[in-house]
Amino acid sequence: MRRSYLGEFEEVVLLTVAVLGDGAYGVAITDELDRQTGRSVSISAVHAALHRLEEKGMLSSRMGDATAERGGRRKRLFAVTALGSRTLHDIRATRDQLWSSIAPNALPAISL
């Protein structure tokens, strides 16, 4: 099994592509990241992460149809691959295991 590790930003970009499904392209991913995390990120940072994730085999892309809203330009649409899905599930399992291993009252109380 090929094992690849992700940085935190790559992980949230990969998750955002999964959230958006068929509508995952650069601007939509950037807007959704801002909405979901409250983090303002640049479109170039998102494109760089998308490129790295595609090189790692965790995303695939294809060109969509030209749209009037983009002046007839086409969007590059992204989808999570089986390897990307496996990686996200592995990350979630590891985090869940760690969280469940924390003793009660081991963390300082915070107000949410």
Side-chain angles (χ1 to χ4, degrees):
M1 176 172 101
R2 189 168 127 191
R3 182 109 181 149
S4 243
Y5 295 94
L6 296 180
E8 187 266 347
F9 187 67
E10 289 178 333
E11 180 185 348
V12 294
V13 168
L14 190 57
L15 283 167
T16 303
V17 171
V19 167
L20 292 172
D22 293 338
Y25 68 98
V27 172
I29 294 165
T30 302
D31 291 346
E32 187 67 15
L33 275 170
D34 186 24
R35 194 178 74 73
Q36 293 271 355
T37 67
R39 239 163 116 166
S40 179
V41 296
S42 71
I43 186 74
S44 59
V46 170
H47 278 292
L50 290 168
H51 180 73
R52 288 192 305 273
L53 289 165
E54 196 167 18
E55 280 188 343
K56 291 178 179 181
M58 295 180 192
L59 287 178
S60 62
S61 70
R62 65 178 175 80
M63 294 305 292
D65 294 331
T67 61
E69 70 179 319
R70 293 176 42 89
R73 293 182 313 167
R74 299 165 63 189
K75 298 174 187 172
R76 179 170 293 280
L77 300 167
F78 292 89
V80 177
T81 64
L83 177 61
S85 178
R86 163 66 72 181
T87 301
L88 287 173
H89 281 91
D90 288 349
I91 290 169
R92 184 177 186 171
T94 300
R95 289 181 183 212
D96 287 348
Q97 182 180 347
L98 287 168
W99 275 104
S100 67
S101 299
I102 297 173
N105 301 321
L107 295 174
I110 58 170
S111 59
L112 297 175

